[in-house]
Amino acid sequence: MSSILRCLERLKEAFYALPSVTPKGAAKLATDFIKLSQEERVKFMNEISQASQSIKICAVCGNFSTADICDICSDTGRRDEVVCVVEDVMDVTALEDAGFDGKYHVLGGRIDPLNKVMPDDLNIAALFKRLAEGKIKEVIIGTNLNRKGAATARYIFNEIKRNFGNITVTQPAHGLSEGSEIIYVNPQTLKEAVERRTSFQ
Ligand SMILES: [Zn+2]
């Protein structure tokens, strides 16, 4: 294999490490990258390098942040007593677009025993630690409305009821259809679903 092909192959592997990139997509990105001018490549690498150095995980909610505690957790203008539990940081973005004004807790995935993802593998213990502090009065379970999201929601609901009986647990209203993933719901529908949230059942 020629050295440029080896170089392309390595780039392809690097891009393929991103979960949403397909093998074909990775090949396209690798080719796009080598077609950039030297100056453009340096600029691209600087952006990646700077982002890589500044990204942290918020010590409170598990969201991405550039500080130890994210902007949302440290925002005193938001409601502290309502926390929406979501699977992924992208869900936070979707709920922010929908105007949610409480706080978040990002699980970093969903319970998925077939793929060996158990509750201990997710950011769940930190949620219970937050609840034990006593400030949070309501937890909105905003996991995706598919089988794994529902199983994760059920587990969290049961644990909250068992350990924190005085905390209200709700879920977005049924305007969201079965199988919905939060990030694909349009902001207005998501806003209404959160506003008209109901007791978790
Ligand atoms: Zn945070």
Side-chain angles (χ1 to χ4, degrees):
M1 190 187 279
S2 71
S3 58
I4 186 64
L5 282 180
R6 265 201 305 275
C7 172
L8 254 176
E9 225 19 67
R10 284 211 301 273
L11 275 173
K12 207 170 96 180
E13 271 175 36
F15 284 118
Y16 190 49
L18 300 170
S20 59
V21 174
T22 60
K24 257 192 183 168
K28 179 83 174 62
L29 285 169
T31 315
D32 285 349
F33 181 78
I34 61 166
K35 282 182 186 166
L36 293 176
S37 68
Q38 174 70 12
E39 192 186 333
E40 287 168 328
R41 282 200 295 268
V42 169
K43 189 167 178 284
F44 184 88
M45 294 309 297
N46 283 343
E47 292 297 337
I48 301 265
S49 170
Q50 272 179 30
S52 172
Q53 283 165 30
S54 57
I55 293 169
K56 295 180 178 180
I57 303 281
C58 171
V60 176
C61 72
N63 192 7
F64 285 131
S65 173
T66 51
D68 292 338
I69 296 187
C70 76
D71 291 345
I72 295 175
C73 286
S74 43
D75 184 347
T76 52
R78 302 181 71 110
R79 291 190 298 154
D80 270 334
E81 72 282 6
V82 183
V83 165
C84 185
V85 175
V86 295
E87 293 181 22
D88 192 79
V89 290
M90 290 299 291
D91 301 324
V92 172
T93 310
L95 281 150
E96 284 297 285
D97 289 345
F100 178 64
D101 64 349
K103 304 257 168 126
Y104 297 95
H105 194 86
V106 182
L107 298 174
R110 73 285 310 152
I111 297 171
D112 182 5
L114 283 181
N115 287 306
K116 298 192 167 54
V117 182
M118 305 307 282
D120 285 352
D121 299 314
L122 301 175
N123 188 29
I124 292 181
L127 170 66
F128 298 147
K129 205 172 136 210
R130 286 176 80 182
L131 298 183
E133 286 166 5
K135 262 199 246 165
I136 296 166
K137 305 288 177 231
E138 179 185 351
V139 173
I140 305 170
I141 303 188
T143 52
N144 291 323
L145 298 178
N146 49 32
R147 201 167 42 82
K148 290 170 193 166
T152 307
R154 177 64 52 193
Y155 172 83
I156 290 171
F157 171 74
N158 288 341
E159 288 297 304
I160 294 176
K161 283 295 117 186
R162 200 154 62 85
N163 298 299
F164 308 97
N166 55 342
I167 293 178
T168 305
V169 184
T170 56
Q171 60 193 355
H174 291 301
L176 302 185
S177 53
E178 192 73 16
S180 293
E181 293 199 19
I182 301 288
I183 58 166
Y184 299 122
V185 179
N186 82 58
Q188 188 56 32
T189 306
L190 190 54
K191 184 179 194 307
E192 286 166 16
V194 172
E195 281 171 358
R196 294 187 293 106
R197 60 189 179 272
T198 55
S199 288
F200 188 92
Q201 280 163 357

Short mmCIF file of all heavy atoms in Angstrom, two decimals, residues 54-109:
data_model
loop_
_atom_site.label_atom_id
_atom_site.label_comp_id
_atom_site.label_asym_id
_atom_site.label_seq_id
_atom_site.Cartn_x
_atom_site.Cartn_y
_atom_site.Cartn_z
N SER A 54 -10.21 22.11 25.85
CA SER A 54 -11.11 22.86 26.73
C SER A 54 -12.35 22.08 27.15
O SER A 54 -13.07 22.50 28.05
CB SER A 54 -11.51 24.19 26.08
OG SER A 54 -12.09 23.94 24.84
N ILE A 55 -12.62 20.93 26.53
CA ILE A 55 -13.84 20.19 26.87
C ILE A 55 -13.70 19.45 28.19
O ILE A 55 -12.73 18.72 28.41
CB ILE A 55 -14.21 19.18 25.76
CG1 ILE A 55 -14.61 19.92 24.48
CG2 ILE A 55 -15.35 18.27 26.20
CD1 ILE A 55 -14.73 19.02 23.27
N LYS A 56 -14.68 19.68 29.06
CA LYS A 56 -14.73 18.95 30.33
C LYS A 56 -16.15 18.41 30.49
O LYS A 56 -17.04 18.78 29.74
CB LYS A 56 -14.46 19.91 31.50
CG LYS A 56 -13.07 20.49 31.51
CD LYS A 56 -12.92 21.42 32.70
CE LYS A 56 -11.50 21.98 32.74
NZ LYS A 56 -11.31 22.87 33.87
N ILE A 57 -16.32 17.57 31.49
CA ILE A 57 -17.66 17.09 31.82
C ILE A 57 -18.08 17.83 33.10
O ILE A 57 -17.33 17.84 34.08
CB ILE A 57 -17.65 15.57 32.10
CG1 ILE A 57 -17.10 14.80 30.90
CG2 ILE A 57 -19.03 15.08 32.51
CD1 ILE A 57 -18.05 14.59 29.77
N CYS A 58 -19.26 18.44 33.08
CA CYS A 58 -19.74 19.17 34.25
C CYS A 58 -19.83 18.23 35.45
O CYS A 58 -20.42 17.15 35.37
CB CYS A 58 -21.11 19.79 33.97
SG CYS A 58 -21.88 20.49 35.44
N ALA A 59 -19.24 18.65 36.56
CA ALA A 59 -19.18 17.81 37.76
C ALA A 59 -20.56 17.62 38.39
O ALA A 59 -20.77 16.70 39.17
CB ALA A 59 -18.24 18.44 38.78
N VAL A 60 -21.52 18.48 38.03
CA VAL A 60 -22.86 18.36 38.62
C VAL A 60 -23.77 17.51 37.73
O VAL A 60 -24.35 16.52 38.19
CB VAL A 60 -23.49 19.76 38.84
CG1 VAL A 60 -24.92 19.63 39.37
CG2 VAL A 60 -22.63 20.58 39.79
N CYS A 61 -23.90 17.90 36.46
CA CYS A 61 -24.96 17.30 35.63
C CYS A 61 -24.47 16.32 34.57
O CYS A 61 -25.27 15.60 33.98
CB CYS A 61 -25.79 18.39 34.97
SG CYS A 61 -24.89 19.25 33.65
N GLY A 62 -23.17 16.32 34.28
CA GLY A 62 -22.67 15.40 33.26
C GLY A 62 -22.72 15.96 31.85
O GLY A 62 -22.37 15.28 30.89
N ASN A 63 -23.15 17.23 31.71
CA ASN A 63 -23.17 17.88 30.39
C ASN A 63 -21.74 18.26 30.01
O ASN A 63 -20.87 18.36 30.88
CB ASN A 63 -24.03 19.15 30.50
CG ASN A 63 -24.36 19.75 29.15
OD1 ASN A 63 -24.08 19.16 28.10
ND2 ASN A 63 -24.97 20.91 29.17
N PHE A 64 -21.50 18.49 28.73
CA PHE A 64 -20.20 19.00 28.34
C PHE A 64 -20.08 20.45 28.77
O PHE A 64 -21.07 21.18 28.83
CB PHE A 64 -19.99 18.89 26.82
CG PHE A 64 -19.73 17.49 26.38
CD1 PHE A 64 -20.43 16.94 25.32
CD2 PHE A 64 -18.78 16.72 27.02
CE1 PHE A 64 -20.19 15.64 24.91
CE2 PHE A 64 -18.53 15.42 26.62
CZ PHE A 64 -19.24 14.88 25.57
N SER A 65 -18.85 20.86 29.04
CA SER A 65 -18.63 22.20 29.56
C SER A 65 -17.19 22.59 29.27
O SER A 65 -16.36 21.74 28.98
CB SER A 65 -18.88 22.16 31.08
OG SER A 65 -18.52 23.37 31.67
N THR A 66 -16.92 23.89 29.37
CA THR A 66 -15.51 24.30 29.28
C THR A 66 -15.00 24.65 30.68
O THR A 66 -13.84 24.99 30.86
CB THR A 66 -15.33 25.52 28.35
OG1 THR A 66 -16.25 26.52 28.75
CG2 THR A 66 -15.58 25.14 26.90
N ALA A 67 -15.89 24.58 31.68
CA ALA A 67 -15.49 24.84 33.08
C ALA A 67 -15.85 23.60 33.90
O ALA A 67 -16.51 22.70 33.41
CB ALA A 67 -16.23 26.06 33.60
N ASP A 68 -15.43 23.58 35.17
CA ASP A 68 -15.73 22.41 36.01
C ASP A 68 -17.24 22.24 36.18
O ASP A 68 -17.73 21.12 36.28
CB ASP A 68 -15.07 22.56 37.39
CG ASP A 68 -13.55 22.46 37.26
OD1 ASP A 68 -13.08 21.89 36.25
OD2 ASP A 68 -12.84 22.97 38.14
N ILE A 69 -17.95 23.38 36.26
CA ILE A 69 -19.41 23.33 36.36
C ILE A 69 -19.97 24.09 35.16
O ILE A 69 -19.52 25.19 34.85
CB ILE A 69 -19.88 23.95 37.69
CG1 ILE A 69 -19.33 23.08 38.83
CG2 ILE A 69 -21.41 24.05 37.75
CD1 ILE A 69 -19.80 23.39 40.19
N CYS A 70 -20.94 23.49 34.47
CA CYS A 70 -21.40 24.06 33.19
C CYS A 70 -22.21 25.35 33.40
O CYS A 70 -22.66 25.65 34.51
CB CYS A 70 -22.21 23.03 32.41
SG CYS A 70 -23.88 22.76 33.02
N ASP A 71 -22.41 26.07 32.30
CA ASP A 71 -23.15 27.34 32.35
C ASP A 71 -24.57 27.16 32.87
O ASP A 71 -25.11 28.02 33.55
CB ASP A 71 -23.25 27.94 30.93
CG ASP A 71 -21.89 28.40 30.43
OD1 ASP A 71 -20.97 28.51 31.25
OD2 ASP A 71 -21.76 28.63 29.21
N ILE A 72 -25.18 26.03 32.53
CA ILE A 72 -26.57 25.81 32.94
C ILE A 72 -26.64 25.57 34.45
O ILE A 72 -27.45 26.17 35.14
CB ILE A 72 -27.19 24.63 32.15
CG1 ILE A 72 -27.27 25.00 30.67
CG2 ILE A 72 -28.56 24.25 32.70
CD1 ILE A 72 -27.74 23.90 29.74
N CYS A 73 -25.76 24.72 34.97
CA CYS A 73 -25.77 24.45 36.42
C CYS A 73 -25.43 25.70 37.22
O CYS A 73 -25.93 25.88 38.32
CB CYS A 73 -24.79 23.34 36.77
SG CYS A 73 -25.38 21.72 36.28
N SER A 74 -24.58 26.56 36.67
CA SER A 74 -24.20 27.73 37.46
C SER A 74 -25.11 28.93 37.20
O SER A 74 -24.91 29.99 37.79
CB SER A 74 -22.73 28.09 37.24
OG SER A 74 -22.40 28.00 35.89
N ASP A 75 -26.12 28.77 36.36
CA ASP A 75 -27.04 29.88 36.05
C ASP A 75 -28.08 30.01 37.17
O ASP A 75 -28.97 29.17 37.33
CB ASP A 75 -27.73 29.59 34.71
CG ASP A 75 -28.63 30.72 34.26
OD1 ASP A 75 -28.93 31.62 35.08
OD2 ASP A 75 -29.05 30.71 33.09
N THR A 76 -27.98 31.10 37.94
CA THR A 76 -28.89 31.28 39.08
C THR A 76 -30.29 31.71 38.64
O THR A 76 -31.22 31.71 39.43
CB THR A 76 -28.33 32.34 40.06
OG1 THR A 76 -28.04 33.52 39.30
CG2 THR A 76 -27.08 31.85 40.75
N GLY A 77 -30.44 32.06 37.36
CA GLY A 77 -31.75 32.47 36.85
C GLY A 77 -32.64 31.29 36.49
O GLY A 77 -33.82 31.45 36.18
N ARG A 78 -32.09 30.09 36.53
CA ARG A 78 -32.89 28.92 36.15
C ARG A 78 -33.48 28.27 37.40
O ARG A 78 -32.99 28.48 38.50
CB ARG A 78 -32.00 27.90 35.42
CG ARG A 78 -31.35 28.47 34.18
CD ARG A 78 -30.52 27.42 33.51
NE ARG A 78 -31.35 26.42 32.88
CZ ARG A 78 -31.49 26.28 31.56
NH1 ARG A 78 -30.83 27.07 30.75
NH2 ARG A 78 -32.27 25.35 31.07
N ARG A 79 -34.52 27.46 37.16
CA ARG A 79 -35.17 26.81 38.31
C ARG A 79 -34.33 25.63 38.78
O ARG A 79 -34.09 24.69 38.04
CB ARG A 79 -36.58 26.37 37.92
CG ARG A 79 -37.50 27.57 37.72
CD ARG A 79 -38.92 27.15 37.58
NE ARG A 79 -39.09 26.30 36.41
CZ ARG A 79 -40.06 25.39 36.29
NH1 ARG A 79 -40.92 25.21 37.26
NH2 ARG A 79 -40.16 24.67 35.19
N ASP A 80 -33.93 25.70 40.05
CA ASP A 80 -33.09 24.66 40.65
C ASP A 80 -33.89 23.43 41.03
O ASP A 80 -33.34 22.34 41.15
CB ASP A 80 -32.50 25.20 41.97
CG ASP A 80 -31.18 25.87 41.75
OD1 ASP A 80 -30.51 25.52 40.76
OD2 ASP A 80 -30.83 26.75 42.56
N GLU A 81 -35.20 23.64 41.27
CA GLU A 81 -35.98 22.56 41.87
C GLU A 81 -36.53 21.57 40.84
O GLU A 81 -37.11 20.56 41.21
CB GLU A 81 -37.11 23.15 42.75
CG GLU A 81 -38.27 23.80 42.01
CD GLU A 81 -37.98 25.20 41.47
OE1 GLU A 81 -36.83 25.68 41.55
OE2 GLU A 81 -38.92 25.82 40.93
N VAL A 82 -36.36 21.89 39.55
CA VAL A 82 -36.84 20.97 38.50
C VAL A 82 -35.65 20.50 37.67
O VAL A 82 -34.91 21.31 37.12
CB VAL A 82 -37.86 21.66 37.56
CG1 VAL A 82 -38.40 20.67 36.54
CG2 VAL A 82 -38.99 22.28 38.35
N VAL A 83 -35.49 19.18 37.60
CA VAL A 83 -34.37 18.63 36.83
C VAL A 83 -34.92 17.68 35.77
O VAL A 83 -35.76 16.82 36.07
CB VAL A 83 -33.39 17.87 37.76
CG1 VAL A 83 -32.45 16.99 36.97
CG2 VAL A 83 -32.59 18.86 38.58
N CYS A 84 -34.47 17.87 34.55
CA CYS A 84 -34.87 16.96 33.47
C CYS A 84 -33.73 15.98 33.21
O CYS A 84 -32.60 16.39 32.93
CB CYS A 84 -35.21 17.75 32.21
SG CYS A 84 -35.86 16.69 30.91
N VAL A 85 -34.03 14.69 33.32
CA VAL A 85 -33.03 13.65 33.10
C VAL A 85 -33.06 13.25 31.62
O VAL A 85 -34.12 12.91 31.09
CB VAL A 85 -33.34 12.41 33.97
CG1 VAL A 85 -32.36 11.27 33.66
CG2 VAL A 85 -33.26 12.77 35.45
N VAL A 86 -31.91 13.35 30.97
CA VAL A 86 -31.84 13.00 29.55
C VAL A 86 -30.72 12.00 29.31
O VAL A 86 -29.84 11.84 30.14
CB VAL A 86 -31.62 14.26 28.67
CG1 VAL A 86 -32.81 15.20 28.74
CG2 VAL A 86 -30.34 14.98 29.05
N GLU A 87 -30.79 11.35 28.15
CA GLU A 87 -29.77 10.34 27.84
C GLU A 87 -28.45 10.96 27.40
O GLU A 87 -27.39 10.48 27.74
CB GLU A 87 -30.28 9.42 26.72
CG GLU A 87 -31.47 8.57 27.13
CD GLU A 87 -31.94 7.66 26.01
OE1 GLU A 87 -31.17 7.36 25.08
OE2 GLU A 87 -33.12 7.24 26.07
N ASP A 88 -28.56 12.04 26.60
CA ASP A 88 -27.38 12.50 25.90
C ASP A 88 -27.28 14.03 25.91
O ASP A 88 -28.30 14.71 26.05
CB ASP A 88 -27.50 12.01 24.45
CG ASP A 88 -26.21 12.16 23.69
OD1 ASP A 88 -25.33 11.32 23.87
OD2 ASP A 88 -26.08 13.14 22.94
N VAL A 89 -26.08 14.55 25.72
CA VAL A 89 -25.90 16.00 25.68
C VAL A 89 -26.70 16.65 24.54
O VAL A 89 -27.13 17.80 24.66
CB VAL A 89 -24.41 16.40 25.55
CG1 VAL A 89 -23.66 16.11 26.82
CG2 VAL A 89 -23.75 15.71 24.39
N MET A 90 -26.93 15.92 23.45
CA MET A 90 -27.72 16.47 22.35
C MET A 90 -29.16 16.75 22.78
O MET A 90 -29.82 17.64 22.27
CB MET A 90 -27.74 15.50 21.15
CG MET A 90 -26.42 15.36 20.44
SD MET A 90 -25.86 16.92 19.74
CE MET A 90 -27.07 17.16 18.44
N ASP A 91 -29.64 15.95 23.74
CA ASP A 91 -31.00 16.16 24.24
C ASP A 91 -31.09 17.49 25.00
O ASP A 91 -32.13 18.16 24.99
CB ASP A 91 -31.42 15.01 25.16
CG ASP A 91 -31.36 13.66 24.46
OD1 ASP A 91 -31.67 13.62 23.25
OD2 ASP A 91 -31.00 12.67 25.11
N VAL A 92 -29.99 17.86 25.66
CA VAL A 92 -29.95 19.15 26.37
C VAL A 92 -30.14 20.27 25.34
O VAL A 92 -30.93 21.19 25.54
CB VAL A 92 -28.62 19.35 27.14
CG1 VAL A 92 -28.51 20.76 27.69
CG2 VAL A 92 -28.48 18.32 28.25
N THR A 93 -29.43 20.17 24.22
CA THR A 93 -29.55 21.18 23.17
C THR A 93 -30.99 21.28 22.68
O THR A 93 -31.53 22.38 22.52
CB THR A 93 -28.62 20.80 21.99
OG1 THR A 93 -27.33 20.53 22.52
CG2 THR A 93 -28.53 21.90 20.97
N ALA A 94 -31.63 20.12 22.47
CA ALA A 94 -33.02 20.11 21.99
C ALA A 94 -33.94 20.78 23.00
O ALA A 94 -34.81 21.58 22.64
CB ALA A 94 -33.46 18.67 21.72
N LEU A 95 -33.75 20.47 24.29
CA LEU A 95 -34.61 21.05 25.32
C LEU A 95 -34.32 22.54 25.52
O LEU A 95 -35.22 23.32 25.84
CB LEU A 95 -34.45 20.28 26.63
CG LEU A 95 -35.24 18.96 26.62
CD1 LEU A 95 -34.58 17.90 27.47
CD2 LEU A 95 -36.68 19.18 27.07
N GLU A 96 -33.08 22.95 25.32
CA GLU A 96 -32.75 24.37 25.38
C GLU A 96 -33.47 25.11 24.25
O GLU A 96 -34.03 26.18 24.45
CB GLU A 96 -31.23 24.58 25.26
CG GLU A 96 -30.48 24.24 26.53
CD GLU A 96 -30.87 25.14 27.69
OE1 GLU A 96 -30.45 26.30 27.72
OE2 GLU A 96 -31.63 24.67 28.57
N ASP A 97 -33.48 24.50 23.05
CA ASP A 97 -34.19 25.11 21.91
C ASP A 97 -35.69 25.20 22.20
O ASP A 97 -36.38 26.06 21.66
CB ASP A 97 -33.96 24.29 20.63
CG ASP A 97 -32.54 24.42 20.12
OD1 ASP A 97 -31.83 25.35 20.57
OD2 ASP A 97 -32.13 23.60 19.27
N ALA A 98 -36.18 24.27 23.04
CA ALA A 98 -37.60 24.26 23.36
C ALA A 98 -37.91 25.19 24.54
O ALA A 98 -39.05 25.27 24.99
CB ALA A 98 -38.04 22.83 23.68
N GLY A 99 -36.90 25.87 25.07
CA GLY A 99 -37.12 26.87 26.11
C GLY A 99 -37.24 26.32 27.52
O GLY A 99 -37.74 27.02 28.42
N PHE A 100 -36.79 25.10 27.78
CA PHE A 100 -36.86 24.55 29.14
C PHE A 100 -35.99 25.40 30.07
O PHE A 100 -34.87 25.75 29.73
CB PHE A 100 -36.39 23.09 29.12
CG PHE A 100 -36.39 22.44 30.48
CD1 PHE A 100 -37.57 22.26 31.18
CD2 PHE A 100 -35.19 22.04 31.08
CE1 PHE A 100 -37.57 21.67 32.44
CE2 PHE A 100 -35.18 21.46 32.34
CZ PHE A 100 -36.37 21.27 33.02
N ASP A 101 -36.53 25.74 31.26
CA ASP A 101 -35.79 26.67 32.13
C ASP A 101 -35.36 26.05 33.47
O ASP A 101 -34.98 26.75 34.39
CB ASP A 101 -36.62 27.93 32.39
CG ASP A 101 -37.90 27.63 33.16
OD1 ASP A 101 -38.24 26.44 33.31
OD2 ASP A 101 -38.56 28.58 33.61
N GLY A 102 -35.44 24.71 33.57
CA GLY A 102 -34.93 24.05 34.77
C GLY A 102 -33.49 23.63 34.57
O GLY A 102 -32.77 24.21 33.76
N LYS A 103 -33.08 22.63 35.32
CA LYS A 103 -31.72 22.11 35.16
C LYS A 103 -31.78 20.71 34.53
O LYS A 103 -32.86 20.18 34.32
CB LYS A 103 -31.04 22.07 36.54
CG LYS A 103 -31.04 23.44 37.23
CD LYS A 103 -29.70 24.12 37.17
CE LYS A 103 -29.76 25.56 37.59
NZ LYS A 103 -28.83 25.94 38.63
N TYR A 104 -30.62 20.15 34.27
CA TYR A 104 -30.56 18.85 33.58
C TYR A 104 -29.73 17.85 34.37
O TYR A 104 -28.92 18.22 35.21
CB TYR A 104 -29.90 19.00 32.20
CG TYR A 104 -30.65 19.89 31.27
CD1 TYR A 104 -30.30 21.24 31.15
CD2 TYR A 104 -31.71 19.40 30.52
CE1 TYR A 104 -31.00 22.08 30.29
CE2 TYR A 104 -32.41 20.24 29.66
CZ TYR A 104 -32.05 21.57 29.56
OH TYR A 104 -32.74 22.40 28.71
N HIS A 105 -29.93 16.59 34.00
CA HIS A 105 -28.97 15.56 34.42
C HIS A 105 -28.77 14.64 33.22
O HIS A 105 -29.73 14.05 32.71
CB HIS A 105 -29.47 14.78 35.64
CG HIS A 105 -28.37 14.00 36.26
ND1 HIS A 105 -27.50 14.52 37.19
CD2 HIS A 105 -27.94 12.74 36.01
CE1 HIS A 105 -26.61 13.62 37.51
NE2 HIS A 105 -26.84 12.53 36.80
N VAL A 106 -27.52 14.56 32.76
CA VAL A 106 -27.22 13.79 31.55
C VAL A 106 -26.68 12.41 31.93
O VAL A 106 -25.65 12.30 32.59
CB VAL A 106 -26.17 14.54 30.68
CG1 VAL A 106 -25.90 13.77 29.39
CG2 VAL A 106 -26.65 15.96 30.37
N LEU A 107 -27.40 11.38 31.50
CA LEU A 107 -27.03 10.01 31.89
C LEU A 107 -25.81 9.48 31.12
O LEU A 107 -25.11 8.60 31.59
CB LEU A 107 -28.20 9.05 31.64
CG LEU A 107 -29.48 9.35 32.44
CD1 LEU A 107 -30.60 8.42 31.97
CD2 LEU A 107 -29.22 9.18 33.93
N GLY A 108 -25.63 9.99 29.91
CA GLY A 108 -24.52 9.48 29.09
C GLY A 108 -24.85 8.15 28.43
O GLY A 108 -23.96 7.37 28.13
N GLY A 109 -26.15 7.90 28.20
CA GLY A 109 -26.55 6.66 27.51
C GLY A 109 -27.86 6.16 28.08
O GLY A 109 -28.61 6.90 28.72
#
